[in-house]
Amino acid sequence: MEKNRSSFTSKIGFVLAAAGSAVGLGNLWRFPYLAAQHGGGIFLLVYLILSVTFGFSLMVAEIAIGRKTGLSAIGAFNKINKKCSFIGYLAALVPALILPYYSVIGGWVIKYLTVFCTGGASTAAADGYFDGFIGNTWQSLLFFAIFIGVTAVVVLLGVEKGVEKVSKIMMPILVVISVGVAAFVCISNGIRGEWEGLLYYLKPDFSNFSIMTVVAAMGQLFYSMSLAMGIMITYGSYMKKDVNLESSAHQIEFFDMGIAFLAGLMIVPSVVSYSGIEGLNKGPGLMFVTLPKVFNEMGPVLGNVIGALFFVLVLFAALTSSISLMETVVSIIQDKFHLERKVSCSIVLGASFLIGLPSALGFGVWSGFTPMGMDILSFFDFITNSILMPIVAIMTCIVVCYVMKPQAIIDETSLTGKFKLAKLFKAMIYVAPVLLIIILIFAIFEAFGITFGGFLKF
Ligand code: PHE
């Protein structure tokens, strides 16, 4: 893979490809339910602050590491220092663990697409429909298998470029539709005089703040921007030296945050108006429970058309992300064990299916099994986002601070002109590991059910 490393020919090519990996279910499915669960406006504010400070800095660091070394994560850390190569492996473990459960959610998207394509808006909007579906063993397995199968076929045939091309058209349409649906939600809430949900989402209420708001926002930041798993290092290795790294990072960040914000605007206020404040704790199913109700409200024809269109777009956003997840794992296995692409792809497909099975069944036949009090899918999500990614991020910062030195990143970023936020970057890269360690400790305590009632609450 390293031998004939191709490059993105233009800045826009790089930004779109990186944004294709970044924008996915993380923005549309994960962000809204976390925002709903962790205080609405205050979560939004914390996320925003973290993303323009820490998220930006880590993104610049990862892209610069990739471009400087010209290698993907494992090779890059190895080149920086032999003793650091384990970080590359740890980073590679993250996409390997995310891909399986990501595909379970991808399967839910396909299911909803089929429902809306067959005019089932009112069926999907009915109470209990979603729970019935995810509790059904064969259905959840079937759609999970279809999603991961399609991802594998694309990776195997090496037609990512084709998918990328299509998604370059789909992404802007997704933005337009999202703006339209969000506007519909705001207007119809306004007409009904229901402001509670909108206020909950848009107005930071400090009494909703807790340390878990920060833990969740930080995990979401990594996940959504595809950070702390070596992916941006790989993308950086394909970036040409004459492309402005700093402004590329800003654009990816802006794109990613914009879509997440819109998704929240579509979903969070609607939850409050349909199911009241208690509905906010619905967890991973939130998007699938709420949006059909919104579409259904648009009337039988428009509702089905917009619903189907929306889920096609979400499916493409999810596929560009799952392809980049699988591609990463496949190429690592291929390089490491000198396997043919076909073999490596089959191994990853088989392993991911097996690892994903418990997540797919965790809402039905295996719902009695609740590691650390979570459903199995949330457990995998927690381990990767709240434990592994902070660890990889801490190590990346430490390597940048003490092995490479921040100046190396600043120099790489300054190749095309002054690195405007160099001071912020330098401060963040030193401060972040300390914050991350604190966050990690809280996350672990929380997982074991030790909560900090009132602690760090305003
Ligand atoms: N960032 C993607 C999303 O928001 C998820 C993802 C993570 C994709 C890591 C690729 C790599 O959905």
Side-chain angles (χ1 to χ4, degrees):
M1 183 186 166
E2 252 73 77
K3 263 174 274 158
N4 12 359
R5 184 161 291 269
S6 51
S7 297
F8 294 110
T9 43
S10 62
K11 176 177 174 205
I12 191 72
F14 170 79
V15 170
L16 283 177
S21 161
V23 175
L25 294 173
N27 311 60
L28 296 152
W29 153 76
R30 201 170 187 276
F31 183 87
Y33 91 76
L34 288 181
Q37 227 165 29
H38 294 281
I42 190 71
F43 180 86
L44 194 63
L45 182 68
V46 170
Y47 185 78
L48 203 73
I49 295 174
L50 285 178
S51 114
V52 295
T53 52
F54 178 66
F56 167 76
S57 304
L58 195 60
M59 167 103 59
V60 166
E62 290 200 8
I63 300 175
I65 290 175
R67 189 166 78 172
K68 195 172 162 56
T69 56
L71 298 168
S72 40
I74 295 183
F77 281 110
N78 190 40
K79 189 167 172 181
I80 293 167
N81 187 319
K82 286 239 157 359
K83 288 198 193 106
C84 298
S85 49
F86 78 98
I87 306 174
Y89 286 103
L90 203 58
L93 187 62
V94 180
L97 288 178
I98 290 185
L99 177 65
Y101 82 81
Y102 199 86
S103 304
V104 173
I105 320 277
W108 297 354
V109 174
I110 298 183
K111 162 76 184 178
Y112 273 71
L113 175 60
T114 60
V115 172
F116 278 89
C117 281
T118 50
S122 56
T123 319
D127 283 334
Y129 179 78
F130 177 71
D131 291 333
F133 158 58
I134 54 170
N136 180 315
T137 305
W138 290 113
Q139 285 222 25
S140 39
L141 285 186
L142 174 71
F143 288 102
F144 160 50
I146 295 176
F147 185 88
I148 200 159
V150 171
T151 306
V153 168
V154 173
V155 170
L156 185 61
L157 298 179
V159 289
E160 289 96 324
K161 288 278 167 302
V163 176
E164 255 166 42
K165 269 201 195 113
V166 180
S167 77
K168 272 176 209 166
I169 307 165
M170 299 291 227
M171 287 291 199
I173 309 179
L174 178 65
V175 175
V176 174
I177 292 278
S178 303
V179 171
V181 176
F184 175 83
V185 167
C186 295
I187 294 169
S188 62
N189 276 23
I191 291 174
R192 287 196 299 259
E194 292 168 354
W195 298 107
E196 197 185 3
L198 267 174
L199 282 177
Y200 177 77
Y201 182 55
L202 295 176
K203 193 168 158 262
D205 178 351
F206 288 91
S207 65
N208 285 335
F209 181 86
S210 81
I211 191 69
M212 285 319 285
T213 313
V214 185
V215 173
M218 190 62 115
Q220 172 62 14
L221 188 69
F222 295 138
Y223 189 91
S224 187
M225 295 197 181
S226 306
L227 293 172
M229 53 187 108
I231 288 191
M232 284 298 156
I233 300 185
T234 309
Y235 276 89
S237 71
Y238 295 119
M239 188 197 229
K240 283 200 170 154
K241 294 277 184 193
D242 60 358
V243 169
N244 188 325
L245 200 156
E246 184 178 13
S247 71
S248 303
H250 279 309
Q251 283 172 6
I252 301 167
E253 190 187 300
F254 177 77
F255 213 39
D256 193 64
M257 221 157 54
I259 304 244
F261 173 74
L262 282 174
L265 199 54
M266 286 187 261
I267 296 174
V268 181
S270 312
V271 181
V272 179
S273 64
Y274 293 121
S275 349
I277 291 284
E278 318 78 63
L280 293 170
N281 262 329
K282 183 81 188 129
L286 199 64
M287 163 179 157
F288 298 91
V289 174
T290 310
L291 281 181
K293 293 189 201 291
V294 175
F295 296 136
N296 192 37
E297 202 189 307
M298 296 175 177
V301 179
L302 195 63
N304 278 303
V305 172
I306 301 281
L309 189 59
F310 179 81
F311 281 108
V312 171
L313 299 167
V314 175
L315 182 60
F316 265 87
L319 274 175
T320 50
S321 298
S322 66
I323 290 165
S324 94
L325 285 165
M326 190 181 264
E327 178 65 50
T328 313
V329 188
V330 167
S331 57
I332 288 170
I333 299 212
Q334 189 181 351
D335 291 353
K336 186 78 204 155
F337 301 102
H338 309 290
L339 296 173
E340 259 184 74
R341 192 169 174 80
K342 235 188 300 176
V343 180
S344 152
C345 196
S346 314
I347 294 175
V348 174
L349 174 64
S352 303
F353 187 75
L354 288 180
I355 300 173
L357 270 183
S359 297
L361 299 177
F363 299 96
V365 278
W366 288 359
S367 59
F369 183 57
T370 51
M372 292 178 172
M374 304 174 205
D375 62 78
I376 303 172
L377 190 148
S378 301
F379 172 72
F380 275 99
D381 190 66
F382 176 81
I383 295 291
T384 46
N385 283 273
S386 302
I387 310 284
L388 282 176
M389 290 193 206
I391 294 178
V392 174
I394 291 168
M395 303 221 173
T396 308
C397 292
I398 292 178
V399 168
V400 170
C401 290
Y402 304 102
V403 186
M404 291 178 81
K405 307 289 181 223
Q407 195 56 41
I409 304 284
I410 296 177
D411 291 344
E412 182 67 36
T413 310
S414 308
L415 285 180
T416 47
K418 192 170 172 344
F419 180 2
K420 295 194 197 82
L421 295 180
K423 285 212 178 79
L424 171 79
F425 165 77
K426 212 166 168 177
M428 282 320 298
I429 217 79
Y430 280 106
V431 173
V434 182
L435 287 179
L436 281 169
I437 288 173
I438 299 174
I439 289 176
L440 185 62
I441 293 173
F442 275 104
I444 292 173
F445 275 125
E446 172 79 17
F448 285 102
I450 305 166
T451 48
F452 299 84
F455 181 61
L456 275 180
K457 256 186 173 301
F458 284 93

